[in-house]
Amino acid sequence: MEPTVVLGIESSCDETAAAIVKLTADGKRQILSNVILSQLDEHRPYGGVVPEIAARAHVEYMDGVVDHAMNDAAVNFSDLSAVAAIAGPGLIGGVIVGLMTGKGIALTHNKPLIAVNHLEGHALSARLVHEDTMFPYLLLLISGGHCQLVSVEGVGRYARLGTTVDDAIGEAFDKIAKFTGLGYPGGSVVEEAARRGNASRFDLPRPMVGRAGCDFSFSGLKTAARQSFEALDNPGPQDIADLCASFQIAVCEVLEDRCRNAIAAYKTNNNSKIRFVVAGGVAANSVVRSVLDSLCGELNVHLIVPPPVLCTDNAAMIAWAGIERLGAELIDDLGAVPRARWPLDSLYDRS
Ligand code: KG4
Ligand code: ZN
């Protein structure tokens, strides 16, 4: 059997990315190239992502990034089994650039098009690097736009167990970075500052902890952190580090409590050892990873977290989702539409 080689294209937020992923006949996965061009310099002066600037930057960079990925992998368009392009959810201007680029390449080279849901890219990313991640598994998806607990039953088959009732988790990290003046991108700078901070200095709330179910809430925690910051007289670097550490530990305790409930609920449906996958940009956070590692150790659950470079946005996960969908014969036509909103569980065809 021929190997499957797929070009992935990602542009749903502020990363212009392209990657080539190969699945060999004996099931081995290989990332042949993984090019990520972050638009940090473009957005930094504004302290966050500006959609119009992101869309223009994607237009400018996309062709070069695709060429770069093809050259790094040493493949030609004729070698591709399919083209997998982002189709949403995300900033619509960027999604349009990625999807149209994918359609252009698929049409020109007569290849199948796979219109990939970005969240499905995150949801399946663990299977790209950890081949033993069999379905079904419990997924914690923690990113800039989402915070969800999901039962992953198979490709395209996602059932949501819990979600945030207000802000996304990464958004909360980004807001803390913004109002403390740490800047952009938020999550990694908050984690960095927190390393030097005292996590017990500020007594911040742990929303939802102790409640039944597995929904999340971060808005009250974010506001409390802001109020603590505003109450400081001329805050210096140590104050900011302490606030970041206090915020990060509060977030981790919320995640731990909610995941504990989800694992308990999941256990009732499955007899084998539970597989628990953590994905999305916030999964790059080392404290989050270690708190969830301890929880899974305590509950005898198999924890699977992709390496940080595959947690934050990248095109290898889009290429891999393309390979998974191709294997399940879930191919799109050139009429596929870009979507700003596209919930993961809406992919589930229960008919
Ligand atoms: O998955 P992702 O790259 O993009 C979305 O799909 O949203 O996630 C981006 C989010 C941002 O909010 C960013 O601040 C957060 O992930 N993030 C982190 C870390 N690295 C990225 N949050 C906490 N700690 C980190 N080290
Ligand atoms: Zn993402």
Side-chain angles (χ1 to χ4, degrees):
M1 206 174 84
E2 290 283 300
T4 308
V5 179
V6 169
L7 162 67
I9 294 173
E10 160 61 33
S11 52
S12 64
C13 189
D14 56 345
E15 262 96 26
T16 315
I20 311 290
V21 175
K22 179 174 175 179
L23 175 68
T24 63
D26 60 353
K28 292 271 168 292
R29 290 89 150 128
Q30 294 171 356
I31 300 175
L32 301 184
S33 64
N34 190 18
V35 179
I36 305 172
L37 201 151
S38 295
Q39 304 168 1
L40 298 181
D41 293 341
E42 280 85 347
H43 301 290
R44 191 172 280 118
Y46 306 94
V49 180
V50 182
E52 183 61 25
I53 293 175
R56 285 170 194 271
H58 286 305
V59 172
E60 194 180 330
Y61 300 141
M62 185 56 86
D63 287 354
V65 166
V66 170
D67 277 353
H68 191 157
M70 297 295 289
N71 289 337
D72 276 4
V75 297
N76 297 314
F77 288 116
S78 58
D79 301 326
L80 298 176
S81 315
V83 179
I86 179 72
L91 301 174
I92 195 66
V95 173
I96 290 172
V97 175
L99 184 57
M100 294 307 144
T101 305
K103 284 184 183 183
I105 296 171
L107 182 63
T108 310
H109 299 280
N110 197 22
K111 300 291 177 186
L113 172 77
I114 324 260
V116 175
N117 180 303
H118 179 87
L119 304 175
E120 181 166 52
H122 281 303
L124 298 175
S125 59
R127 287 169 50 82
L128 168 56
V129 274
H130 301 280
E131 288 166 24
D132 58 344
T133 314
M134 302 304 186
F135 299 123
Y137 53 84
L138 179 62
L139 167 73
L140 173 67
L141 175 49
I142 40 179
S143 69
H146 297 87
C147 187
Q148 301 179 4
L149 278 154
V150 178
S151 169
V152 178
E153 296 170 20
V155 178
R157 292 162 54 205
Y158 310 98
R160 198 166 62 189
L161 306 176
T163 188
T164 178
V165 298
D166 42 52
D167 296 349
I169 183 167
E171 191 185 344
F173 271 93
D174 294 335
K175 288 277 161 51
I176 306 296
K178 195 166 182 180
F179 71 66
T180 53
L182 286 174
Y184 159 90
S188 51
V189 288
V190 169
E191 179 179 7
E192 185 53 38
R195 269 189 241 284
R196 301 182 297 275
N198 170 5
S200 49
R201 159 114 180 255
F202 295 96
D203 186 19
L204 299 174
R206 274 75 169 145
M208 296 289 196
V209 167
R211 286 218 217 160
C214 22
D215 281 340
F216 302 85
S217 164
F218 295 103
S219 141
L221 170 57
K222 184 188 72 186
T223 304
R226 181 194 286 274
Q227 287 167 345
S228 298
F229 182 70
E230 287 170 353
L232 292 168
D233 184 23
N234 196 17
Q238 191 56 52
D239 297 311
I240 292 173
D242 292 346
L243 187 65
C244 288
S246 304
F247 166 78
Q248 187 172 261
I249 199 66
V251 165
C252 286
E253 286 183 26
V254 170
L255 288 178
E256 199 217 25
D257 179 84
R258 308 285 78 200
C259 294
R260 188 183 286 280
N261 282 4
I263 290 167
Y266 207 65
K267 209 171 243 167
T268 57
N269 302 329
N270 299 277
N271 292 328
S272 60
K273 187 166 176 169
I274 293 174
R275 286 172 289 275
F276 181 44
V277 170
V278 188
V282 182
N285 184 291
S286 59
V287 182
V288 168
R289 293 166 87 101
S290 90
V291 165
L292 295 175
D293 191 46
S294 303
L295 177 71
C296 289
E298 179 198 328
L299 300 179
N300 192 28
V301 164
H302 180 32
L303 177 68
I304 304 152
V305 195
V309 68
L310 293 179
C311 289
T312 48
D313 284 351
N314 65 88
M317 70 180 192
I318 303 298
W320 174 251
I323 290 178
E324 296 258 40
R325 290 188 83 78
L326 196 60
E329 297 180 4
L330 296 166
I331 294 164
D332 296 278
D333 60 36
L334 293 176
V337 290
R339 305 175 206 215
R341 281 185 50 75
W342 192 8
L344 195 50
D345 43 1
S346 73
L347 299 178
Y348 207 150
D349 179 2
R350 291 172 195 271
S351 59

